[in-house]
Amino acid sequence: MSEILSKQQLKSKETKAKIFRAAKHILQKHGYEALSIKNICEEAGVSNGSFYHHFKTKDDLLSYYIEEQPNINPDLLDIPRSADEVKSAIVYVYLNYVHYCQELGVEFMANYYTPKNQSLNPLIRTERPYPIVTVHNYLQKCIGAGIISPNQDIEDITTDIRMIVIGNVFEWCLKEGNADFEGNMKRSLESYMNGVF
């Protein structure tokens, strides 16, 4: 059953999307350096107050794109029967992310993945559904159920996975989209996980 939005909720959702589209356009055309709240508001045709009503900071806005990622089927992430199913589910989460990155485009991703973008900092993450948070929680469930017994701490595993993902995104952007993004992501994640559990 779908949720029915009030006129105000619908308007708020449209404004948020308009702000995000403006930021995406600026990132794609001019890069991270040109991405200021002033420029975003001008491009979107909204006030600063409207921006701050929807987002706390520019980095909060940038993390919004993760929120808009297509949802992962929660049934797939139920307790698996084997370590191979755990690996398959984690690969699935990141192949979903690959497809979403491809939808956003190389220019957006190349400008999004910059050290200046603090929304990427795992120490200041919001409650948004980052893929690595999904994977961390999933691994905890699998370890708790005795399905896997990794030879590393879960924090180290999720940090390694995050770095593998960032490396694959960077490689795809570096090659201007002419890399086997999906194949590289799958292969590198599977190789890593085969050595951990």
Side-chain angles (χ1 to χ4, degrees), residues 87 90-95 160-162 164-165 168 183-195:
K87 294 171 195 173
I90 292 170
V91 167
Y92 175 79
V93 167
Y94 284 105
L95 291 183
D160 291 348
I161 288 173
R162 186 175 53 80
I164 289 167
V165 170
N168 277 290
N184 291 342
M185 185 72 77
K186 184 177 188 299
R187 180 185 43 76
S188 58
L189 285 171
E190 286 175 344
S191 294
Y192 172 74
M193 289 186 290
N194 285 339

Side-chain angles (χ1 to χ4, degrees), residues 11 17 31 36 43 105 112 128-129 131 137 143 153 170 174 189:
K11 182 176 169 55
S36 68
E43 176 82 20
Y112 178 80
R128 289 197 168 105
N137 295 341
I143 292 167
D153 177 79
F170 182 79
L174 187 66
L189 285 171

Side-chain angles (χ1 to χ4, degrees), residues 143-156:
I143 292 167
I147 305 298
I148 57 171
S149 298
N151 58 20
Q152 292 182 30
D153 177 79
I154 191 169
E155 298 304 324
D156 291 339

Side-chain angles (χ1 to χ4, degrees), residues 6-190:
S6 70
K7 285 182 183 179
Q8 182 61 36
Q9 290 170 319
L10 190 57
K11 182 176 169 55
S12 178
K13 187 174 180 174
E14 289 169 0
T15 301
K16 198 171 187 179
K18 187 189 311 184
I19 292 168
F20 177 69
R21 281 193 308 273
K24 180 180 172 186
H25 180 259
I26 292 168
L27 269 176
Q28 289 174 325
K29 300 299 178 197
H30 307 290
Y32 189 87
E33 296 300 323
L35 193 66
S36 68
I37 292 172
K38 178 183 179 284
N39 290 347
I40 294 166
C41 290
E42 285 177 6
E43 176 82 20
V46 300
S47 68
N48 281 10
S50 182
F51 177 92
Y52 285 112
H53 175 74
H54 296 287
F55 303 102
K56 295 175 188 157
T57 64
K58 176 174 72 173
D59 291 333
D60 184 46
L61 164 64
L62 290 176
S63 66
Y64 171 73
Y65 100 94
I66 295 290
E67 189 175 82
E68 292 303 299
Q69 181 174 257
N71 292 331
I72 300 295
N73 178 351
D75 294 337
L76 179 67
L77 299 182
D78 283 344
I79 299 294
R81 292 182 298 265
S82 68
D84 284 341
E85 286 184 15
V86 174
K87 294 171 195 173
S88 293
I90 292 170
V91 167
Y92 175 79
V93 167
Y94 284 105
L95 291 183
N96 187 61
Y97 183 68
V98 163
H99 298 146
Y100 189 60
C101 290
Q102 290 169 326
E103 286 176 27
L104 289 170
V106 171
E107 295 84 9
F108 177 87
M109 296 310 298
N111 284 297
Y112 178 80
Y113 274 91
T114 171
K116 294 176 183 172
N117 179 1
Q118 286 301 298
S119 72
L120 293 170
N121 186 340
L123 301 176
I124 60 167
R125 290 273 162 84
T126 65
E127 68 285 348
R128 289 197 168 105
Y130 291 92
I132 198 62
V133 174
T134 300
V135 167
H136 184 278
N137 295 341
Y138 180 65
L139 284 171
Q140 280 183 322
K141 276 190 345 186
C142 295
I143 292 167
I147 305 298
I148 57 171
S149 298
N151 58 20
Q152 292 182 30
D153 177 79
I154 191 169
E155 298 304 324
D156 291 339
I157 294 169
T158 55
T159 294
D160 291 348
I161 288 173
R162 186 175 53 80
M163 290 189 298
I164 289 167
V165 170
I166 290 170
N168 277 290
V169 173
F170 182 79
E171 178 74 8
W172 178 67
C173 292
L174 187 66
K175 292 186 175 177
E176 298 178 349
N178 295 315
D180 183 7
F181 194 10
E182 187 172 324
N184 291 342
M185 185 72 77
K186 184 177 188 299
R187 180 185 43 76
S188 58
L189 285 171
E190 286 175 344

